[in-house]
mmCIF file of all heavy atoms in Angstrom:
data_model
loop_
_atom_site.group_PDB
_atom_site.id
_atom_site.type_symbol
_atom_site.label_atom_id
_atom_site.label_comp_id
_atom_site.label_asym_id
_atom_site.label_seq_id
_atom_site.Cartn_x
_atom_site.Cartn_y
_atom_site.Cartn_z
ATOM 1 N N LEU A 247 137.721 35.048 214.710
ATOM 2 C CA LEU A 247 137.856 33.571 214.470
ATOM 3 C C LEU A 247 139.237 33.346 213.792
ATOM 4 O O LEU A 247 139.860 34.183 213.229
ATOM 5 C CB LEU A 247 136.662 33.078 213.635
ATOM 6 C CG LEU A 247 136.389 33.693 212.234
ATOM 7 C CD1 LEU A 247 137.308 33.069 211.172
ATOM 8 C CD2 LEU A 247 134.999 33.489 211.841
ATOM 9 N N SER A 248 139.553 32.061 213.867
ATOM 10 C CA SER A 248 140.750 31.542 213.222
ATOM 11 C C SER A 248 140.394 30.206 212.647
ATOM 12 O O SER A 248 139.777 29.352 213.318
ATOM 13 C CB SER A 248 141.887 31.435 214.195
ATOM 14 O OG SER A 248 143.034 30.944 213.506
ATOM 15 N N SER A 249 140.757 29.975 211.388
ATOM 16 C CA SER A 249 140.406 28.759 210.748
ATOM 17 C C SER A 249 141.667 27.985 210.311
ATOM 18 O O SER A 249 142.596 28.625 209.734
ATOM 19 C CB SER A 249 139.558 29.034 209.506
ATOM 20 O OG SER A 249 140.240 29.932 208.599
ATOM 21 N N GLY A 250 141.689 26.717 210.503
ATOM 22 C CA GLY A 250 142.845 25.885 210.007
ATOM 23 C C GLY A 250 144.191 26.324 210.537
ATOM 24 O O GLY A 250 145.162 26.223 209.782
ATOM 25 N N ALA A 251 144.255 26.795 211.778
ATOM 26 C CA ALA A 251 145.494 27.358 212.315
ATOM 27 C C ALA A 251 146.374 26.208 212.862
ATOM 28 O O ALA A 251 145.953 25.468 213.741
ATOM 29 C CB ALA A 251 145.257 28.411 213.350
ATOM 30 N N SER A 252 147.557 26.026 212.330
ATOM 31 C CA SER A 252 148.512 24.981 212.698
ATOM 32 C C SER A 252 149.232 25.478 213.995
ATOM 33 O O SER A 252 149.902 26.519 213.944
ATOM 34 C CB SER A 252 149.446 24.681 211.687
ATOM 35 O OG SER A 252 150.490 23.836 212.175
ATOM 36 N N LEU A 253 149.133 24.652 215.107
ATOM 37 C CA LEU A 253 149.793 25.012 216.325
ATOM 38 C C LEU A 253 151.331 24.980 216.167
ATOM 39 O O LEU A 253 152.047 25.808 216.784
ATOM 40 C CB LEU A 253 149.352 24.140 217.410
ATOM 41 C CG LEU A 253 149.547 24.604 218.871
ATOM 42 C CD1 LEU A 253 148.828 25.888 219.118
ATOM 43 C CD2 LEU A 253 149.078 23.516 219.895
ATOM 44 N N SER A 254 151.822 24.121 215.326
ATOM 45 C CA SER A 254 153.248 23.986 215.111
ATOM 46 C C SER A 254 153.789 25.249 214.339
ATOM 47 O O SER A 254 154.927 25.638 214.538
ATOM 48 C CB SER A 254 153.633 22.688 214.410
ATOM 49 O OG SER A 254 153.031 22.659 213.121
ATOM 50 N N VAL A 255 152.978 25.798 213.512
ATOM 51 C CA VAL A 255 153.349 26.987 212.783
ATOM 52 C C VAL A 255 153.293 28.247 213.643
ATOM 53 O O VAL A 255 154.208 29.023 213.635
ATOM 54 C CB VAL A 255 152.465 27.173 211.533
ATOM 55 C CG1 VAL A 255 152.701 28.449 210.829
ATOM 56 C CG2 VAL A 255 152.679 25.972 210.515
ATOM 57 N N TYR A 256 152.228 28.384 214.352
ATOM 58 C CA TYR A 256 151.974 29.588 215.195
ATOM 59 C C TYR A 256 152.800 29.509 216.485
ATOM 60 O O TYR A 256 153.114 30.508 217.074
ATOM 61 C CB TYR A 256 150.498 29.799 215.451
ATOM 62 C CG TYR A 256 149.784 30.407 214.314
ATOM 63 C CD1 TYR A 256 149.160 29.663 213.326
ATOM 64 C CD2 TYR A 256 149.670 31.811 214.132
ATOM 65 C CE1 TYR A 256 148.478 30.230 212.280
ATOM 66 C CE2 TYR A 256 149.027 32.411 213.096
ATOM 67 C CZ TYR A 256 148.358 31.578 212.183
ATOM 68 O OH TYR A 256 147.710 32.101 211.093
ATOM 69 N N GLY A 257 152.977 28.299 216.982
ATOM 70 C CA GLY A 257 153.833 28.209 218.193
ATOM 71 C C GLY A 257 152.958 28.197 219.471
ATOM 72 O O GLY A 257 153.373 27.524 220.515
ATOM 73 N N SER A 258 151.871 28.916 219.508
ATOM 74 C CA SER A 258 151.022 28.958 220.726
ATOM 75 C C SER A 258 149.625 29.399 220.394
ATOM 76 O O SER A 258 149.410 30.070 219.346
ATOM 77 C CB SER A 258 151.668 29.896 221.727
ATOM 78 O OG SER A 258 151.624 31.201 221.325
ATOM 79 N N LEU A 259 148.729 29.170 221.325
ATOM 80 C CA LEU A 259 147.380 29.658 221.088
ATOM 81 C C LEU A 259 147.339 31.187 221.144
ATOM 82 O O LEU A 259 146.536 31.815 220.371
ATOM 83 C CB LEU A 259 146.450 29.143 222.218
ATOM 84 C CG LEU A 259 144.954 29.498 222.165
ATOM 85 C CD1 LEU A 259 144.313 29.138 220.855
ATOM 86 C CD2 LEU A 259 144.209 28.873 223.346
ATOM 87 N N GLU A 260 148.188 31.813 221.906
ATOM 88 C CA GLU A 260 148.216 33.246 222.020
ATOM 89 C C GLU A 260 148.567 33.842 220.703
ATOM 90 O O GLU A 260 148.054 34.863 220.297
ATOM 91 C CB GLU A 260 149.222 33.697 223.083
ATOM 92 C CG GLU A 260 148.778 33.463 224.539
ATOM 93 C CD GLU A 260 148.962 31.999 224.963
ATOM 94 O OE1 GLU A 260 149.527 31.202 224.188
ATOM 95 O OE2 GLU A 260 148.567 31.765 226.127
ATOM 96 N N ASN A 261 149.492 33.253 219.962
ATOM 97 C CA ASN A 261 149.875 33.716 218.656
ATOM 98 C C ASN A 261 148.763 33.578 217.642
ATOM 99 O O ASN A 261 148.605 34.466 216.761
ATOM 100 C CB ASN A 261 151.151 33.055 218.144
ATOM 101 C CG ASN A 261 152.405 33.457 218.919
ATOM 102 O OD1 ASN A 261 152.476 34.518 219.475
ATOM 103 N ND2 ASN A 261 153.427 32.598 218.889
ATOM 104 N N ILE A 262 148.022 32.517 217.759
ATOM 105 C CA ILE A 262 146.821 32.375 216.853
ATOM 106 C C ILE A 262 145.804 33.444 217.152
ATOM 107 O O ILE A 262 145.243 34.072 216.230
ATOM 108 C CB ILE A 262 146.233 30.955 217.078
ATOM 109 C CG1 ILE A 262 147.160 29.926 216.632
ATOM 110 C CG2 ILE A 262 144.858 30.856 216.378
ATOM 111 C CD1 ILE A 262 146.686 28.472 216.799
ATOM 112 N N LEU A 263 145.646 33.798 218.414
ATOM 113 C CA LEU A 263 144.639 34.886 218.815
ATOM 114 C C LEU A 263 145.186 36.241 218.302
ATOM 115 O O LEU A 263 144.409 37.076 217.799
ATOM 116 C CB LEU A 263 144.492 34.921 220.305
ATOM 117 C CG LEU A 263 143.830 33.685 220.921
ATOM 118 C CD1 LEU A 263 143.886 33.730 222.439
ATOM 119 C CD2 LEU A 263 142.349 33.608 220.475
ATOM 120 N N ASN A 264 146.465 36.435 218.344
ATOM 121 C CA ASN A 264 147.077 37.728 217.858
ATOM 122 C C ASN A 264 146.740 37.846 216.375
ATOM 123 O O ASN A 264 146.476 38.950 215.878
ATOM 124 C CB ASN A 264 148.582 37.757 218.046
ATOM 125 C CG ASN A 264 148.917 37.919 219.562
ATOM 126 O OD1 ASN A 264 148.140 38.531 220.331
ATOM 127 N ND2 ASN A 264 150.089 37.465 219.914
ATOM 128 N N ALA A 265 146.846 36.778 215.624
ATOM 129 C CA ALA A 265 146.612 36.758 214.164
ATOM 130 C C ALA A 265 145.148 37.049 213.954
ATOM 131 O O ALA A 265 144.746 37.828 212.945
ATOM 132 C CB ALA A 265 147.036 35.507 213.511
ATOM 133 N N ALA A 266 144.277 36.418 214.749
ATOM 134 C CA ALA A 266 142.810 36.596 214.531
ATOM 135 C C ALA A 266 142.395 38.051 214.804
ATOM 136 O O ALA A 266 141.438 38.565 214.161
ATOM 137 C CB ALA A 266 142.030 35.675 215.478
ATOM 138 N N LEU A 267 143.083 38.655 215.726
ATOM 139 C CA LEU A 267 142.744 40.075 216.093
ATOM 140 C C LEU A 267 142.960 41.039 214.956
ATOM 141 O O LEU A 267 142.331 42.109 214.823
ATOM 142 C CB LEU A 267 143.609 40.489 217.260
ATOM 143 C CG LEU A 267 143.404 41.905 217.883
ATOM 144 C CD1 LEU A 267 141.914 41.974 218.395
ATOM 145 C CD2 LEU A 267 144.343 42.166 218.998
ATOM 146 N N LEU A 268 143.858 40.684 214.037
ATOM 147 C CA LEU A 268 144.147 41.447 212.816
ATOM 148 C C LEU A 268 143.087 41.469 211.768
ATOM 149 O O LEU A 268 143.080 42.270 210.873
ATOM 150 C CB LEU A 268 145.502 41.093 212.209
ATOM 151 C CG LEU A 268 146.703 41.211 213.097
ATOM 152 C CD1 LEU A 268 147.980 40.614 212.432
ATOM 153 C CD2 LEU A 268 146.913 42.643 213.554
ATOM 154 N N ARG A 269 142.116 40.475 211.861
ATOM 155 C CA ARG A 269 141.095 40.395 210.863
ATOM 156 C C ARG A 269 139.754 40.154 211.488
ATOM 157 O O ARG A 269 139.087 39.118 211.268
ATOM 158 C CB ARG A 269 141.433 39.323 209.835
ATOM 159 C CG ARG A 269 141.767 37.954 210.478
ATOM 160 C CD ARG A 269 142.161 36.914 209.477
ATOM 161 N NE ARG A 269 142.393 35.637 210.055
ATOM 162 C CZ ARG A 269 142.899 34.601 209.451
ATOM 163 N NH1 ARG A 269 143.322 34.727 208.202
ATOM 164 N NH2 ARG A 269 143.040 33.485 210.074
ATOM 165 N N PRO A 270 139.279 41.116 212.312
ATOM 166 C CA PRO A 270 137.940 40.924 212.938
ATOM 167 C C PRO A 270 136.846 40.998 211.929
ATOM 168 O O PRO A 270 136.997 41.678 210.831
ATOM 169 C CB PRO A 270 137.946 42.135 213.931
ATOM 170 C CG PRO A 270 138.756 43.153 213.254
ATOM 171 C CD PRO A 270 139.888 42.407 212.634
ATOM 172 N N LEU A 271 135.692 40.447 212.260
ATOM 173 C CA LEU A 271 134.520 40.489 211.396
ATOM 174 C C LEU A 271 133.678 41.769 211.621
ATOM 175 O O LEU A 271 132.692 41.958 210.928
ATOM 176 C CB LEU A 271 133.675 39.258 211.388
ATOM 177 C CG LEU A 271 134.424 37.973 211.125
ATOM 178 C CD1 LEU A 271 133.443 36.758 211.095
ATOM 179 C CD2 LEU A 271 135.170 38.054 209.772
ATOM 180 N N LEU A 272 134.224 42.580 212.524
ATOM 181 C CA LEU A 272 133.606 43.898 212.799
ATOM 182 C C LEU A 272 134.669 44.718 213.457
ATOM 183 O O LEU A 272 135.403 44.254 214.297
ATOM 184 C CB LEU A 272 132.383 43.743 213.724
ATOM 185 C CG LEU A 272 131.662 45.093 214.179
ATOM 186 C CD1 LEU A 272 130.830 45.595 213.083
ATOM 187 C CD2 LEU A 272 130.871 44.886 215.480
ATOM 188 N N LYS A 273 134.783 45.951 213.066
ATOM 189 C CA LYS A 273 135.682 46.902 213.712
ATOM 190 C C LYS A 273 135.089 47.459 214.945
ATOM 191 O O LYS A 273 134.042 48.068 214.910
ATOM 192 C CB LYS A 273 136.048 48.035 212.770
ATOM 193 C CG LYS A 273 136.916 47.602 211.607
ATOM 194 C CD LYS A 273 137.378 48.775 210.745
ATOM 195 C CE LYS A 273 138.221 48.298 209.551
ATOM 196 N NZ LYS A 273 138.589 49.447 208.672
ATOM 197 N N PHE A 274 135.633 47.073 216.116
ATOM 198 C CA PHE A 274 135.039 47.444 217.383
ATOM 199 C C PHE A 274 136.162 47.722 218.447
ATOM 200 O O PHE A 274 137.278 47.386 218.173
ATOM 201 C CB PHE A 274 134.115 46.354 217.938
ATOM 202 C CG PHE A 274 134.759 45.089 218.352
ATOM 203 C CD1 PHE A 274 134.887 44.761 219.702
ATOM 204 C CD2 PHE A 274 135.413 44.285 217.473
ATOM 205 C CE1 PHE A 274 135.527 43.645 220.164
ATOM 206 C CE2 PHE A 274 136.028 43.070 217.881
ATOM 207 C CZ PHE A 274 136.152 42.808 219.254
ATOM 208 N N LYS A 275 135.752 48.259 219.590
ATOM 209 C CA LYS A 275 136.661 48.592 220.550
ATOM 210 C C LYS A 275 136.846 47.387 221.539
ATOM 211 O O LYS A 275 135.954 47.230 222.449
ATOM 212 C CB LYS A 275 136.333 49.892 221.336
ATOM 213 C CG LYS A 275 137.340 50.329 222.357
ATOM 214 C CD LYS A 275 136.860 51.566 223.164
ATOM 215 C CE LYS A 275 136.801 52.798 222.278
ATOM 216 N NZ LYS A 275 136.457 53.973 223.055
ATOM 217 N N LEU A 276 137.855 46.569 221.442
ATOM 218 C CA LEU A 276 138.047 45.386 222.233
ATOM 219 C C LEU A 276 138.133 45.743 223.711
ATOM 220 O O LEU A 276 137.612 45.003 224.572
ATOM 221 C CB LEU A 276 139.274 44.640 221.780
ATOM 222 C CG LEU A 276 139.597 43.311 222.534
ATOM 223 C CD1 LEU A 276 138.470 42.290 222.376
ATOM 224 C CD2 LEU A 276 140.959 42.775 222.135
ATOM 225 N N SER A 277 138.714 46.869 224.060
ATOM 226 C CA SER A 277 138.935 47.289 225.423
ATOM 227 C C SER A 277 137.662 47.528 226.179
ATOM 228 O O SER A 277 137.676 47.540 227.380
ATOM 229 C CB SER A 277 139.848 48.539 225.471
ATOM 230 O OG SER A 277 139.156 49.599 224.795
ATOM 231 N N SER A 278 136.547 47.716 225.484
ATOM 232 C CA SER A 278 135.269 47.911 226.148
ATOM 233 C C SER A 278 134.444 46.714 226.255
ATOM 234 O O SER A 278 133.308 46.695 226.786
ATOM 235 C CB SER A 278 134.455 48.951 225.379
ATOM 236 O OG SER A 278 134.121 48.505 224.089
#
Side-chain angles (χ1 to χ4, degrees):
L247 60 82
S248 182
S249 58
S252 169
L253 200 58
S254 61
V255 171
Y256 281 91
S258 67
L259 179 56
E260 287 80 2
N261 288 337
I262 293 175
L263 294 171
N264 288 335
L267 185 59
L268 298 176
R269 51 184 185 189
L271 299 188
L272 176 78
K273 292 182 178 179
F274 71 108
K275 186 184 290 184
L276 180 63
S277 61
S278 65

